[in-house]
């Protein structure tokens, strides 16, 4: 009887594990979270990619890669600097994912422009909250070397397309879209301000000690 009860208990546990497996997988699957407005609508934070997109998706018109990089790196929006071009290969595996038909999990690890195009459906034909999104090729940079000195660009025409094209020479005119790593709403306090605050606290403490000493002398 005891052996039968033990067997039944083990069988019940196995059944519960098998029953919960799809639920656990569903809970672990990534959910597409909505874009969040930043800087009074001048930018939009993508919580899936943990990057912020500049609202104007055509920063300087057609330019070569060098000019696009300079324009993006010099961009300052409401005091926020540190902008960059989108990344093609976030996980540095040497593969630029075309996110068409892929899962959210796959593309959050890889191609930022293709994530916007084929996961979010943001394109020239459906720009969402963005302005000046062109049906054209956009510069991207990579954490891995593909085929130097040529670099990959992405066609932001219409959602659901295979946006990936051949590598392009870096001296032709393509579009540039500025992105910022992380959430621009979370701005660290500059070190100078911390030092200034520490200095004020030190002065306040010194003043209190001096006052106590003077009080003791007068007593």
């Amino acid at each position: 009887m005891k052996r039968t009860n033990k067997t039944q208990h083990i069988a019940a546990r196995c059944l519960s594990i098998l029953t919960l497996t799809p639920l656990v997988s569903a809970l672990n699957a990534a959910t597409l979270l909505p874009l969040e407005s930043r800087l009074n609508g001048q930018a939009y934070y993508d919580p899936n990619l943990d990057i912020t997109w500049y609202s104007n998706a055509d920063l300087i018109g057609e330019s070569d890669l060098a000019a696009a990089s300079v324009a993006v790196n010099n961009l300052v929006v409401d005091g926020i600097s540190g902008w960059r071009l989108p990344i093609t290969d976030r996980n540095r595996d040497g593969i630029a994912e075309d996110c068409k038909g892929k899962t959210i999990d796959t593309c959050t690890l890889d191609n930022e422009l293709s994530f916007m195009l084929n996961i979010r459906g943001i394109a020239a034909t459906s720009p969402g909250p963005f302005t000046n999104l062109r049906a054209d090729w956009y510069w991207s940079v990579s954490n891995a070397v593909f085929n130097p000195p040529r670099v990959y660009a992405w066609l932001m025409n219409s959602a659901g397309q295979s946006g990936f094209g051949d590598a392009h020479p870096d001296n032709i005119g393509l579009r540039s879209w500025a992105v910022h790593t992380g959430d621009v709403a979370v701005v660290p306090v500059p070190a100078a301000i911390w030092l200034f605050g520490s200095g004020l606290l030190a002065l306040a403490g010194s003043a209190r000690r001096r006052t106590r000493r003077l009080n003791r002398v007068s007593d």
Side-chain angles (χ1 to χ4, degrees), residues 110-127:
D110 209 76
N111 191 322
E112 293 172 349
L113 280 173
S114 190
F115 186 92
M116 286 293 276
L117 182 71
N118 284 317
I119 300 296
R120 290 202 174 276
I122 299 293
T125 55
S126 52

Side-chain angles (χ1 to χ4, degrees), residues 17-158:
I17 291 172
L18 291 173
T19 305
L20 287 173
T21 299
L23 177 60
V24 171
S25 298
L27 290 174
N28 288 337
T31 301
L32 186 62
L33 303 172
L35 296 169
E36 301 172 12
S37 178
R38 294 290 185 267
L39 308 178
N40 296 316
Q42 295 182 84
Y44 289 87
Y45 175 63
D46 187 329
N48 286 97
L49 297 177
D50 190 28
I51 61 176
T52 304
W53 297 82
Y54 187 42
S55 61
N56 182 356
D58 187 18
L59 188 60
I60 56 171
E62 293 184 342
S63 71
D64 60 29
L65 180 58
S69 299
V70 169
V72 168
N73 293 339
N74 288 338
L75 179 64
V76 178
V77 185
D78 273 3
I80 303 296
S81 58
W83 300 85
R84 60 170 175 80
L85 290 169
I87 293 174
T88 302
D89 182 30
R90 286 160 61 105
N91 60 2
R92 306 187 184 198
D93 64 354
I95 300 171
E97 290 285 355
D98 180 352
C99 294
K100 181 181 178 180
K102 300 292 179 64
T103 65
I104 295 173
D105 300 276
T106 299
C107 286
T108 50
L109 297 175
D110 209 76
N111 191 322
E112 293 172 349
L113 280 173
S114 190
F115 186 92
M116 286 293 276
L117 182 71
N118 284 317
I119 300 296
R120 290 202 174 276
I122 299 293
T125 55
S126 52
F130 300 100
T131 60
N132 298 323
L133 184 52
R134 309 297 184 184
D136 206 345
W137 294 96
Y138 276 78
W139 288 117
S140 63
V141 295
S142 174
N143 287 327
V145 176
F146 287 96
N147 186 20
R150 300 166 73 86
V151 293
Y152 283 120
W154 214 261
L155 179 61
M156 300 298 290
N157 185 17
S158 58

Side-chain angles (χ1 to χ4, degrees), residues 206-219:
S206 177
R208 284 195 298 270
R209 289 192 296 272
R210 184 178 180 186
T211 300
R212 285 197 295 268
R213 285 198 299 270
L214 289 174
N215 289 338
R216 284 197 298 270
V217 170
S218 61
D219 291 342

